[in-house]
Amino acid sequence: MPLGGSAEAQPAPVPAAGATLPLSLQVNGQQVDASIDPRTSLLDLLREGLHLTGAKKGCDHGQCGACTVHVDGRRVVSCLTLAAKMQGREVLTIEGLALPEGSLHPMQQAFIDHDALQCGYCTPGQIMAAVACVQEGHATSAEQIQEFMSGNICRCGAYAGIVAAIQDAAAQMEGG
């Protein structure tokens, strides 16, 4: 017991310099086994460790959405997600979104069809968030789409095309 007799929570020990953790997870349907620094973000694991560069490092503070991926079917900002928390989980990135036969996912095609991108930097995160928006049932109106996509910033201002793309793809995703 600590001094003073109280059973207060003790801080977690700081890992020793150079310490690594074993990690086993699924990324885009493939088994990945890695040894990581415990402080590694999921974004850094994807980009630097696995060379999956679709998720972008925008703000590195979870505010822009450029790093959005899915973990166990839910969208997350990977810059604020510790890779160590991914043990046994399933991660889906933009690289794994295409359909098994190789054609584009309906959301990817809708972004092209509706000119929902300009520079393209935010596009992978926008598409991953848009797929989640539809899967979560939040694509029933333009206003609802805008609300549930508000965590993804497009500095080029392609928002009208993004909303149109989501509405178009939602009909395809829900219908088949």
Side-chain angles (χ1 to χ4, degrees), residues 41-44 56-57 59-63 67 76-82:
S41 70
L42 176 57
L43 178 60
D44 287 340
K56 303 296 188 244
K57 187 174 277 197
C59 67
D60 216 16
H61 294 287
Q63 297 174 344
C67 66
V76 301
V77 287
S78 60
C79 70
L80 295 183
T81 304
L82 283 174

Side-chain angles (χ1 to χ4, degrees), residues 25-33 91:
L25 69 157
Q26 292 275 326
V27 179
N28 299 331
Q30 301 294 314
Q31 181 65 33
V32 172
D33 295 304
V91 177

Side-chain angles (χ1 to χ4, degrees), residues 13-71:
V14 176
T20 61
L21 292 175
L23 180 65
S24 181
L25 69 157
Q26 292 275 326
V27 179
N28 299 331
Q30 301 294 314
Q31 181 65 33
V32 172
D33 295 304
S35 183
I36 62 164
D37 180 306
R39 302 164 293 182
T40 301
S41 70
L42 176 57
L43 178 60
D44 287 340
L45 172 65
L46 294 171
R47 291 184 60 80
E48 297 170 17
L50 303 178
H51 307 291
L52 296 171
T53 57
K56 303 296 188 244
K57 187 174 277 197
C59 67
D60 216 16
H61 294 287
Q63 297 174 344
C64 73
C67 66
T68 302
V69 299
H70 296 182
V71 175

Side-chain angles (χ1 to χ4, degrees), residues 28 51-56 69 92-98 108 128:
N28 299 331
H51 307 291
L52 296 171
T53 57
K56 303 296 188 244
V69 299
L92 179 66
T93 71
I94 192 73
E95 290 90 348
L97 192 60
Q108 291 171 305
M128 296 305 290

